[in-house]
Structures are given as C-alpha cells and as structure tokens.
Amino acid sequence: MRRPLVCGNWKLNGSIGRTGELIDAVSSGAASLPGVDIAVCPVFVHLPVACERAAGTALAVGVQDVSDQVGGAFTGEVAAAMVAEIGARFAIVGHSERRARHGETDGGVAAKFMAARASGVTPILCVGETLSERDAGETLAVVTRQLDAVLEAAGVTGFGDGAIAYEPVWAIGTGRTATPEQAQEVHAALRGRLAEQDPALAARARVVYGGSMKGANAAELMAMPDIDGGLIGGASLDAEEFLAIARAAAAA
Ligand code: 13P
C-alpha cells in the first residue's frame, strides 16, 4: 500500500503574508490526516517563511523547480542543496509550464531530477501530453519518453524515492480534468514502465495526477488503483479545497 502524496503547486502566486496564512491553515488540517504526505510548493523567495511556519507540523514544503547544477556561474538558478538547507523536502521537476516557457528538455529535466536526489530532496517528475499529442494517439509514447529520460540517466537506484506526476497539459488550469479512466490508463502504463526495470520500484513509486483536480473530483480519481495522490495548482491556493483533496486521498 503506497502512502498517498498530495502536493500543492502554488505557481507564481502569493505574498509573504498570504504564504504564512495558507501554511497555517493547511498545516492545521494536515494534522488530522496522518496517513497522507501533504506538501506545498511556494515560490523560492517565500520558501524561508513557508519552512519556518511549517516547521514541527505535518505539512512539508517543496519547490517548483531546481537547478541541475550544484553551484558556480549559473545566474538566476537555485541549487538543491540550498533549498534542502532551508527545509524543502520536495522539488517539482519538468513541469509542462517550464518545458514550454523555458525550453526544458527531457535530458535537462533528468539532470534536475538527479540533482534533487543527490541533495536528499524528493523529486516529483512531471510528465504529460498536449491536446494535439493526445488527439494523435501519442499520449503513452510521450509520457514514456519523458520517464525513460530519467530512468536512463538516473538508473533504477537513482530513481530512489522519486515520484511521478501525470499532468495532461490540456487539463492544467482549464477546468477540464482527465476522466479517472483516462488517467488510470496512463498511470498504469507509467508504473508498467517502472516494472520493466524493477518491480519493487514500480510497487513503491507514487504516481500522482495533476490537472484541474479539486475537492469535487478528487475521490473518483484517487479511487483508481494506480493514482496515488495529486499535484494541485489552482485548488491548492484555497486551504479548504486543498484539504478536501487530501481527505479524499486519505479515504481512498
Ligand atoms: P491546476 O490544478 O490549476 O489545473 O494545475 C495543475 C498543475 O499544473 C499542478 O502542477
């Protein structure tokens, strides 16, 4: 039985004040959900206040991206060891918004995945197809290619405690959620790919869903055998809505 992971991706939102309020509200709700890993990922500059407010609570804090480098002449980047020192436990890597806007490649994302792991930060690898790729019947080929880049670079041992987030690009911020069956098909394929490398890894790795997840649709998604939680954007900015998703994960 995998422990569910429910992670909020706050994207480019918030302020120092709002971060503190939201951390307090989510962490008090998380206290009554001991069976679920609950995390939120604010912007880098809010990481110190988020970690300070979440310290000693059941809520973990993560980051939305991380450098593939450990240090040196890399203007604007933030290294995994630096966020780990502040208290971040998770790092989202390869989000489709970064792949699209910042030209992140499968290989570059794999390097970020490994950099996070090397600093003891759990990477959450985002994979997902665009609408045109889905319409062309390429969904499984796309997500498999994105996962394979990490498996090839990191190897089975390097994958470690990493998680995967299946986020169909067409479902992100659109209000259009994948059906539980559509998501399950992809999650099962991803787990199957892991199983080809290492059945134990496949059995333990968490594959979470992201894309217009909210309190009202979380339970039916979480009921699927290969959906182990969620990576939540918009709904994670509302403590009650986010906690409703975490409760659905706890009940699944
Ligand atoms: P929404 O929940 O806003 O669709 O965003 C999903 C997402 O991109 C999480 O990383």
Side-chain angles (χ1 to χ4, degrees):
M1 183 65 186
R2 290 174 293 273
R3 186 179 163 83
L5 168 64
V6 172
C7 182
N9 174 6
W10 288 355
K11 307 192 180 183
L12 184 54
N13 291 291
S15 60
I16 289 177
R18 181 73 190 125
T19 293
E21 286 167 13
L22 207 43
I23 292 274
D24 290 351
V26 174
S27 60
S28 66
S32 56
L33 295 167
V36 184
D37 278 347
I38 304 177
V40 294
C41 301
V43 296
F44 282 120
V45 293
H46 297 156
L47 186 64
V49 67
C51 286
E52 202 179 299
R53 290 286 269 263
T57 75
L59 178 65
V61 177
V63 289
Q64 300 170 19
D65 180 38
V66 75
S67 179
D68 63 338
Q69 300 293 324
V70 294
F74 302 100
T75 303
E77 305 212 5
V78 181
M82 296 170 178
V83 301
E85 186 181 16
I86 297 174
R89 291 194 24 225
F90 294 92
I92 298 169
V93 296
H95 193 281
S96 61
E97 286 153 14
R98 294 204 59 86
R99 291 182 192 258
R101 284 181 54 85
H102 301 273
E104 293 199 5
T105 61
D106 292 339
V109 171
K112 290 182 172 198
F113 184 102
M114 289 190 290
R117 286 266 304 129
S119 289
V121 175
T122 299
I124 302 174
L125 168 70
C126 296
V127 301
E129 81 288 2
T130 63
L131 190 55
S132 61
E133 287 165 340
R134 172 161 284 268
D135 288 344
E138 294 166 356
T139 298
L140 298 184
V142 168
V143 299
T144 303
R145 187 200 75 220
Q146 291 170 330
L147 174 60
D148 280 356
V150 172
L151 289 171
E152 277 159 27
V156 166
T157 332
F159 202 91
D161 65 351
I164 302 172
Y166 169 52
E167 298 208 313
V169 178
W170 48 270
I172 295 176
T174 58
R176 187 179 161 196
T177 318
T179 65
E181 294 73 22
Q182 282 174 323
Q184 167 59 26
E185 181 194 16
V186 179
H187 284 233
L190 290 165
R191 199 179 305 286
R193 195 66 170 181
L194 294 177
E196 286 169 21
Q197 308 272 330
D198 179 7
L201 171 62
R204 101 175 159 255
R206 293 179 290 190
V207 186
V208 305
Y209 170 82
S212 299
M213 191 184 252
K214 47 186 192 274
N217 60 27
E220 58 179 15
L221 286 158
M222 308 279 190
M224 292 289 147
D226 289 298
I227 300 185
D228 306 318
L231 183 58
I232 298 104
S236 72
L237 296 168
D238 178 314
E240 271 322 302
E241 194 68 25
F242 183 59
L243 288 167
I245 296 170
R247 281 193 292 272

